[in-house]
């Protein structure tokens, strides 16, 4: 595929977003969050500061946009052969990623620069999409149906609350307990 074909679908706007996002990620790694400014990002991205202000409004909204993009899953959830195993593996991985230092920073940035709630909604949609993949696989295997809202309310919501407000004790065992509770409190293989 030629360079022109890779860039064309989003046009100039997509190129600007990509270069600004790349600049933010590089500068965060090189200099840290406290040193980040719109003029510094603009210089690194090869755009004017006014381009950033027009598109994002301020640095916090730019950081929020970058965070939402970084929180987007790269791959579909792994298939472990049954609904409970798939949900457990996904919940453990989700919790591990969200409780990492970078995960917490992205969550904070996504929420702080999100005056209208769109970014928070997008982050929630990412989790729902992942769970929907798991639920579709279960349905194809003719396993007991579970709806997306129940999974979000009983797995994702408590994890996010704990990450934001009570982060102590968050580990894979906590994720497993949430999934076990979703299935009536019985461990796998128990009747």
């Amino acid at each position: 595929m030629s360079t022109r074909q890779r860039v064309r679908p989003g046009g100039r706007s997509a190129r600007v977003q990509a270069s600004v996002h790349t600049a933010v990620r590089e500068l965060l790694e090189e200099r840290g969050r406290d040193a980040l400014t719109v003029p510094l990002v603009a210089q690194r991205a090869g755009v004017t500061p006014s381009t950033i202000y027009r598109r994002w409004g301020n640095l916090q909204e730019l950081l929020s946009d970058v965070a939402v993009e970084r929180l987007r899953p790269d791959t579909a959830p792994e298939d472990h052969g049954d609904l409970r195993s798939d949900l457990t593996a996904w919940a453990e991985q989700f919790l591990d990623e969200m409780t990492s230092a970078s995960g917490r920073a992205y969550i904070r940035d996504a929420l702080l620069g999100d005056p209208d709630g769109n970014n928070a909604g997008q982050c929630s949609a990412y989790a729902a999409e992942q769970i929907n993949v798991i639920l579709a696989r279960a349905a194809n295997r003719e396993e007991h149906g579970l709806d997306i809202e129940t999974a979000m309310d009983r797995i994702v919501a408590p994890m996010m609350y704990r990450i934001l407000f009570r982060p102590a004790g968050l580990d894979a065992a906590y994720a497993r307990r949430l999934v076990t509770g979703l299935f009536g409190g019985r461990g796998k293989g128990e009747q």
Side-chain angles (χ1 to χ4, degrees):
M1 176 183 283
S2 73
T3 303
R4 184 169 187 234
Q5 288 173 319
R6 273 185 264 140
V7 178
R8 266 325 256 162
R12 183 182 186 287
S13 180
R15 288 191 305 272
V16 167
Q17 179 176 343
S19 66
V20 170
H21 277 217
T22 298
V24 167
R25 288 190 307 270
E26 290 172 355
L27 289 166
L28 283 172
E29 188 173 309
E30 293 168 15
R31 299 183 184 202
R33 196 171 193 285
D34 292 339
L36 206 61
T37 65
V38 169
L40 187 62
V41 171
Q43 180 182 17
R44 175 68 64 95
V47 300
T48 64
S50 63
T51 298
I52 293 175
Y53 289 121
R54 242 187 340 270
R55 181 169 181 141
W56 287 279
N58 60 43
L59 181 61
Q60 190 57 56
E61 289 183 37
L62 171 58
L63 290 172
S64 182
D65 191 47
V66 170
V68 170
E69 186 63 31
R70 299 302 291 174
L71 290 168
R72 178 190 311 255
D74 293 334
T75 60
E78 291 184 32
D79 187 346
H80 295 272
D82 65 80
L83 178 58
R84 178 178 264 172
S85 297
D86 288 353
L87 278 175
T88 300
W90 180 85
E92 288 174 357
Q93 179 181 354
F94 179 83
L95 187 62
D96 184 56
E97 290 172 2
M98 295 299 115
T99 58
S100 70
S102 61
R104 287 178 195 267
Y106 290 139
I107 291 168
R108 181 187 63 243
D109 285 341
L111 297 176
L112 287 176
D114 187 24
D116 57 9
N118 288 336
N119 288 347
Q122 185 57 56
C123 291
S124 177
Y126 293 155
E129 289 167 8
Q130 293 275 293
I131 292 173
N132 269 327
V133 168
I134 292 169
L135 297 179
R137 286 180 189 150
N140 288 339
R141 292 188 295 252
E142 299 181 6
E143 291 183 72
H144 169 69
L146 178 68
D147 67 276
I148 184 66
E149 292 307 318
T150 299
M152 293 292 288
D153 289 347
R154 305 268 308 271
I155 298 172
V156 178
M159 281 197 277
M160 291 307 297
Y161 178 86
R162 290 286 305 270
I163 289 166
L164 292 169
F165 302 112
R166 295 188 66 216
L170 292 179
D171 57 14
Y174 175 71
R176 286 190 297 273
R177 284 193 307 272
L178 291 174
V179 174
T180 297
L182 187 61
F183 287 93
R186 294 183 310 272
K188 188 174 179 179
E190 294 178 12
Q191 294 299 330

